[in-house]
Amino acid sequence: MELIEREQQLNSLADAWRQVTFGNGRIVLVSGEAGIGKTALIERFVADQGGAARVLRGGCDALFSPRPLGPFVEIAAQTGQPELERLVQSGGDRLAFSAALFLHLQKQATPTLLILEDLHWADEATLDVLKYLGRRIQHTRALLLLSYRDDEVSGDHPLRSLLGDLPVPATVRLALPVLSSSAVAQLAWGSTRRLDELYRVTGGNPFFVTEILASQSDGVPPSVRDAVLARLARLSPTARGVVELAALVPGSAEGWLIAELLRPDPAVLDECIERGVLHPVGRSMARRNLAFRHELARQSVEDSVPISRARALHSRILAALLPQEGERVSLARLVHHALRAGDEDTTLRLTPQAARQASELGAHREAVALYSSLFDYHHLMPPEMQADVLDSLSIENYLIDHAAQAIGARQQAIQIWQRLERYDQVGDGYRWLSRFHWMAGNGAEAEKCGDRAIAILQEQPPGPQLAMAYSSKSQLHMLAWEEEPSLEWGRRAITLAEQMGDTEILVHAITNVGSTESLHDFQAGTEKVKFALRLAREHEMHDHVGRCYSNLTSNHVRSRRYAEARRWSEEGLEYTTARDLDSYTIYIGGWQSQGFLDTGQWAEAEAFALEALRLVKRLAITALPALVTLGRLRLRQGDPAADALLAQAYNLALPTRELQRHAPVASARAEAAWLRGEPERIPDVAGLGYSLALERNDPWILGEIAYWMWAGGRLSGHRDIPLERLAPPFADMIRGRWQAAAEAWQEIGCPYEQALALLGGDEAAQLRALALFTALGAEPAAALVRRQLHLSPSATARRSHPDDLTPRELEVLRLLAAGLSNPAIAARLTISVGTVKAHTANIYGKLGVANRVQALARAQELRLL
């Protein structure tokens, strides 16, 4: 049938294609509920291009576990490029395939139409390739046309990450609406059906409408399934057999498979096609497949096949496909049929292989589904295989941020290994449990499991499990900033690793030792972590590379070295995002957000914190930096949502027993008490963090929390606080050397802390603090200063303190007068946006004004321009 009420979408597609022909690649997302007409729209658009487009097409299938890179296997075959086919079939690094496909698209003189349908069934590896292409599509002559069912994409669906990462300027989103009643009437022209009832039952869904009209039965079928089965009933028994077989094959059923299993007469196949139940797929007659026009139709038929017949058909399909295992048939496809055939031997043989393949390709959710499917067959597996499966399942759950499931699976595996008296595996299991419990935020249990692992493994001959257990123990002490034990255990691990020649353990241990040493010798410790990073990158140790980037980023942000922190965070996020290392992406993104908050770039801080938290499936340690940063930002903006965020952060940090988790939350809660005029509450909310900080060796964390304890009035700077251990700007603030502190914070690039320092000065300094808070949007702090100065908001602008502006401030003022935005000024002067904000706030304070308009007016009065 012709397309109705789709002119606007076709015009949008044509506009995007026009940009592609000019050399500007585009992405078009076609979304809508099942049966809304996504495929029909794409078919019409392809037909409209005639021979002007080179069409590459792949689709995702509703397999039990999606075939890794399934649609790209089809697309690679269509390109005629053996190298692409080799890369996608090899199961190797999907980044290499992504880069090769991108280069292939770049080299094409003819515009390419790259179509991928049904992305709601896509595996993670496919989504990663699309993410790679999407970010670079503008540099090709290609239109990336993607379709998916929006009603099957929940908030935590993997596809959401891809949709949010696509470049906005190059992306067109087409959400297909249901048909109007007049459109349904047009489709039903000549039918004897009551139009009002037809529209009510179908809701304007084109598939529902066309299927019901095609059934031509009396009355309105109560569901689409009834409509599909009514059409099916009119087929001959042999044709129905073909349709039932095709229904058991997600995607399309191979022609050779139908011929081998059913040997139908060609007239029977013609009947299936002519009646509109199936349609041919593929250009070659010899390799033509048969598929349903709509997945809903296939599912309706599949559900109608009696269980015993379906099981028998799946058995025959599996028997026909097994000889081609590893060639044209994916392991995921074979497992799909084996599970439904109840073929225990094949399921037990192939499912672990399919799960490992999915894991290697980064499709960790699919690996979890495959390993989990083996639970129904646990009674048939030997104990060692049960334990191996549970071990693998625990790691896959850990990688997709399911700590509780990872813990449960590993505990079951340990029980089996204990019965088998495989104590090397028992010890290694407790070492993994230690990591899982740490990720879940349970520091005490993590320490307990780590100690148990070492105790068990020390009774066995020295091996890699013991060395890694030593390194993991070092890691726990490193995370708690317990320097001596971290270094001792780390050096033990390094000694064993060197004796065994185990690079992975060496990288892990050096990362721990370097991170620990950076607490008292930042440069030396950092160099060790950088060495570990280089080694890990050379050997493609993804997990260890992510950890090195995480430590480098957090250490530099925490020590207020923002330029270097920006470098490590950007490098790290590029690496972890490309390799689906979500836990590290969340953690690094949170620390980058903290850096933006510190340097006065609050819009960027909010964006990075929200993006990090968007990836979080269940709150864990990795989410803390983003959670605290967003809570503190909301607090400083006067947003009531801050309380809930900081409460979540507190509950998450408390069980860890680690200063680096406690201190940021404690400082934020202390600041909240100060902003609310309740300084007497500060010792209660920050006391534990302060006690922990005194036991550790970090001048910046101790300095910040000591400052807030001093602001609470319980501690005297000279008598109670070890000022010599504090970072100098904080020590100066407590000593009353507000001017030196303010200058130091300005040099570092922290405008909020600069304003806090200025509050210790005279009225002119406090007005500058007010201007800084106002420029940042920190209304609660600004209101506190106004109360302290007995000023109303409107009176602030009338206070004039025209201190001499510095040459740089005059330069910024003139650019403000020229109408440049803060980012534009930053680019012109080659400084950060946060530094521009700091200069602007100083200008406001010296001129006694509260905003840009007032500053320019006052500057005109003083002839400063």
Side-chain angles (χ1 to χ4, degrees):
M1 295 189 180
E2 64 175 315
L3 290 185
I4 298 175
E5 295 187 342
R6 295 293 183 256
E7 296 82 7
Q8 181 179 347
Q9 289 78 16
L10 287 170
N11 289 337
S12 295
L13 281 165
D15 291 340
W17 183 250
R18 192 174 300 110
Q19 289 296 320
V20 169
T21 61
F22 293 151
N24 304 314
R26 288 292 183 266
I27 304 166
V28 176
L29 301 172
V30 181
S31 63
E33 65 187 35
I36 202 65
K38 300 180 290 294
T39 299
L41 179 74
I42 291 171
E43 294 283 6
R44 170 64 180 276
F45 175 67
V46 171
D48 288 346
Q49 306 319 309
R54 176 171 178 265
V55 180
L56 301 175
R57 192 165 192 166
C60 304
D61 299 328
L63 294 170
F64 177 81
S65 177
R67 177 178 47 158
L69 294 176
F72 286 108
V73 173
E74 302 171 17
I75 288 169
Q78 296 165 31
T79 64
Q81 299 292 313
E83 179 62 12
L84 283 176
E85 292 190 68
R86 185 191 67 77
L87 284 171
V88 77
Q89 293 282 6
S90 68
D93 188 355
R94 58 180 179 264
L95 281 178
F97 172 73
S98 302
L101 180 56
F102 171 69
L103 290 175
H104 174 73
L105 294 174
Q106 274 194 316
K107 294 176 182 177
Q108 301 307 306
T110 302
T112 301
L113 184 54
L114 184 60
I115 303 170
L116 283 90
E117 296 188 75
D118 296 322
L119 287 184
H120 48 279
W121 289 321
D123 64 285
E124 289 178 288
T126 293
L127 296 178
D128 277 351
V129 175
L130 287 174
K131 187 179 294 186
Y132 183 100
L133 293 177
R135 290 175 177 174
R136 298 160 177 83
I137 199 70
Q138 297 174 79
H139 305 297
T140 70
R141 289 167 58 84
L143 176 63
L144 189 56
L145 184 50
L146 312 175
S147 74
Y148 63 95
R149 294 181 185 174
D150 53 5
D151 57 350
E152 292 191 22
V153 180
S154 59
D156 59 352
H157 194 286
L159 180 57
R160 289 289 179 195
S161 176
L162 169 66
L163 299 178
D165 281 340
L166 296 176
V168 174
T171 304
V172 179
R173 299 174 186 266
L174 302 180
L176 302 187
V178 296
L179 301 177
S180 66
S181 57
S182 60
V184 172
Q186 187 176 346
L187 285 174
W189 178 259
S191 170
T192 58
R193 294 186 176 277
R194 289 179 50 189
L195 296 180
D196 58 342
E197 185 69 4
L198 178 62
Y199 187 75
R200 184 187 68 79
V201 172
T202 64
N205 182 290
F207 168 66
F208 292 1
V209 174
T210 55
E211 290 299 313
I212 291 174
L213 290 174
S215 72
Q216 298 182 353
S217 60
D218 294 335
V220 177
S223 67
V224 171
R225 175 184 288 183
D226 289 340
V228 172
L229 297 182
R231 291 177 77 179
L232 189 65
R234 295 197 303 275
L235 297 176
S236 65
T238 310
R240 283 201 300 273
V242 171
V243 172
E244 288 181 348
L245 176 63
L248 299 184
V249 180
S252 61
E254 295 87 347
W256 69 264
L257 181 65
I258 295 172
E260 181 174 324
L261 297 186
L262 302 179
R263 303 188 183 283
D265 188 276
V268 173
L269 301 180
D270 291 340
E271 179 185 357
C272 296
I273 295 169
E274 290 169 0
R275 293 292 182 91
V277 179
L278 301 176
H279 72 107
V281 178
R283 297 178 180 177
S284 169
M285 293 298 296
R287 300 180 62 182
R288 180 165 290 187
N289 297 351
L290 290 179
F292 287 82
R293 293 189 178 277
H294 303 284
E295 173 61 18
L296 286 177
R298 189 198 67 78
Q299 292 177 358
S300 297
V301 177
E302 181 183 30
D303 292 343
S304 74
V305 179
I307 294 176
S308 59
R309 176 164 169 74
R311 186 166 182 168
L313 282 172
H314 277 296
S315 294
R316 296 179 64 193
I317 294 170
L318 181 63
L321 295 177
L322 277 173
Q324 302 183 54
E325 176 187 338
E327 297 177 9
R328 291 190 296 169
V329 182
S330 69
L331 288 172
R333 168 87 179 275
L334 294 173
V335 170
H336 176 83
H337 293 298
L339 285 166
R340 284 154 179 76
D343 188 326
E344 297 170 343
D345 292 340
T346 304
T347 297
L348 290 173
R349 180 172 67 86
L350 294 183
T351 302
Q353 296 178 45
R356 285 193 294 272
Q357 184 184 77
S359 179
E360 289 168 2
L361 290 168
H364 299 296
R365 287 184 181 83
E366 285 68 44
V368 167
L370 285 162
Y371 281 127
S372 299
S373 71
L374 289 170
F375 287 161
D376 291 338
Y377 302 90
H378 72 277
H379 59 287
L380 300 174
M381 292 188 286
E384 187 166 350
M385 182 179 178
Q386 292 182 35
D388 280 334
V389 167
L390 288 165
D391 281 346
S392 298
L393 178 62
S394 74
I395 294 173
E396 296 302 321
N397 272 308
Y398 159 70
L399 292 173
I400 64 171
D401 205 27
H402 289 175
Q405 292 89 332
I407 291 169
R410 185 61 68 160
Q411 288 173 334
Q412 293 180 59
I414 288 174
Q415 292 175 3
I416 297 173
W417 290 125
Q418 285 175 327
R419 290 197 296 270
L420 295 173
E421 298 184 351
R422 288 289 305 278
Y423 297 111
D424 56 335
Q425 296 293 340
V426 173
D428 198 50
Y430 277 110
R431 194 265 302 178
W432 274 110
L433 271 183
S434 174
R435 181 63 174 168
F436 299 160
H437 280 299
W438 180 86
M439 286 288 289
N442 192 338
E445 196 63 29
E447 184 176 351
K448 177 180 175 182
C449 289
D451 289 341
R452 190 165 186 181
I454 291 174
I456 292 170
L457 292 169
Q458 282 180 334
E459 298 296 322
Q460 310 302 310
Q465 293 93 342
L466 178 62
M468 187 58 90
Y470 284 169
S471 188
S472 296
K473 180 70 172 174
S474 169
Q475 182 181 17
L476 286 176
H477 286 298
M478 177 270 291
L479 292 166
W481 291 353
E482 295 166 348
E483 297 178 48
E484 289 187 11
S486 175
L487 295 175
E488 178 185 349
W489 289 106
R491 288 164 183 158
R492 285 195 198 182
I494 290 171
T495 299
L496 282 178
E498 289 176 339
Q499 291 173 358
M500 294 181 290
D502 195 311
T503 303
E504 182 180 11
I505 298 172
L506 187 65
V507 167
H508 192 272
I510 290 175
T511 303
N512 300 331
V513 170
S515 298
T516 300
E517 288 182 352
S518 69
L519 291 172
H520 63 269
D521 188 339
F522 188 86
Q523 294 302 333
T526 298
E527 286 303 315
K528 287 188 176 179
V529 179
K530 287 161 65 175
F531 171 75
L533 173 61
R534 289 193 297 272
L535 204 57
R537 292 204 66 151
E538 288 172 8
H539 291 81
E540 279 300 313
M541 299 174 180
H542 296 177
D543 183 47
H544 300 295
V545 173
R547 197 162 74 93
C548 288
Y549 276 125
S550 295
N551 290 8
L552 287 168
T553 300
S554 61
N555 289 346
H556 281 83
V557 172
R558 197 179 63 249
S559 59
R560 311 276 178 163
R561 302 166 193 255
Y562 298 111
E564 297 96 326
R566 184 78 173 269
R567 170 204 166 182
W568 294 120
S569 64
E570 289 179 351
E571 276 189 28
L573 287 174
E574 181 179 1
Y575 186 94
T576 60
T577 301
R579 289 159 180 80
D580 202 24
L581 300 171
D582 280 359
S583 60
Y584 292 117
T585 300
I586 293 166
Y587 192 71
I588 295 171
W591 277 105
Q592 188 172 49
S593 173
Q594 176 67 53
F596 282 128
L597 178 70
D598 290 349
T599 54
Q601 301 173 75
W602 286 9
E604 293 85 350
E606 180 180 41
F608 273 85
L610 289 173
E611 173 60 19
L613 293 174
R614 183 183 66 81
L615 297 174
V616 173
K617 302 163 188 67
R618 179 176 296 180
L619 282 179
I621 291 301
T622 51
L624 258 177
L627 196 62
V628 174
T629 299
L630 189 61
R632 207 158 193 177
L633 175 61
R634 297 285 185 253
L635 173 69
R636 292 176 178 181
Q637 292 172 327
D639 189 333
D643 291 340
L645 290 167
L646 293 178
Q648 283 183 299
Y650 176 76
N651 292 332
L652 192 58
L654 190 61
T656 67
R657 307 194 302 179
E658 294 175 7
L659 173 62
Q660 62 174 316
R661 318 300 165 200
H662 275 280
V665 181
S667 293
R669 296 175 77 210
E671 184 180 343
W674 175 74
L675 288 172
R676 289 164 184 162
E678 302 171 346
E680 69 280 359
R681 291 191 59 245
I682 291 178
D684 295 331
V685 298
L688 175 60
Y690 181 64
S691 299
L692 287 172
L694 287 172
E695 298 172 2
R696 302 293 185 265
N697 185 32
D698 189 293
W700 291 100
I701 279 187
L702 178 59
E704 181 175 24
I705 204 163
Y707 168 77
W708 287 116
M709 290 291 287
W710 171 76
R714 292 284 184 89
L715 298 180
S716 168
H718 299 288
R719 294 194 307 271
D720 304 325
I721 300 174
L723 296 176
E724 70 283 354
R725 293 180 54 195
L726 275 54
F730 285 117
D732 284 339
M733 291 166 75
I734 295 172
R735 288 190 177 104
R737 298 173 56 186
W738 61 268
Q739 194 165 10
E743 289 174 356
W745 286 122
Q746 183 174 9
E747 180 68 23
I748 294 170
C750 297
Y752 193 87
E753 284 75 7
Q754 180 187 353
L756 290 176
L758 289 168
L759 289 180
D762 55 19
E763 184 177 359
Q766 292 178 45
L767 282 169
R768 288 177 60 198
L770 176 58
L772 276 167
F773 287 138
T774 302
L776 288 168
E779 178 51 33
L784 188 149
V785 178
R786 285 194 293 267
R787 288 194 300 271
Q788 187 170 307
L789 293 173
H790 307 291
L791 294 175
S792 66
S794 60
T796 305
R798 296 195 296 268
R799 301 294 290 252
S800 177
H801 294 270
D803 298 343
D804 291 338
L805 299 177
T806 66
R808 177 64 91 182
E809 288 165 354
L810 281 171
E811 195 172 9
V812 170
L813 181 60
R814 293 188 181 104
L815 293 174
L816 288 172
L820 273 66
S821 64
N822 285 352
I825 295 172
R828 178 76 63 85
L829 301 180
T830 319
I831 57 178
S832 72
V833 175
T835 302
V836 173
K837 289 182 178 179
H839 286 311
T840 303
N842 286 337
I843 293 168
Y844 291 174
K846 291 179 180 181
L847 297 181
V849 299
N851 57 49
R852 179 181 293 216
V853 173
Q854 294 171 356
L856 296 179
R858 182 62 177 149
Q860 291 286 358
E861 291 176 13
L862 299 174
R863 301 183 183 276
L864 295 176
L865 300 177

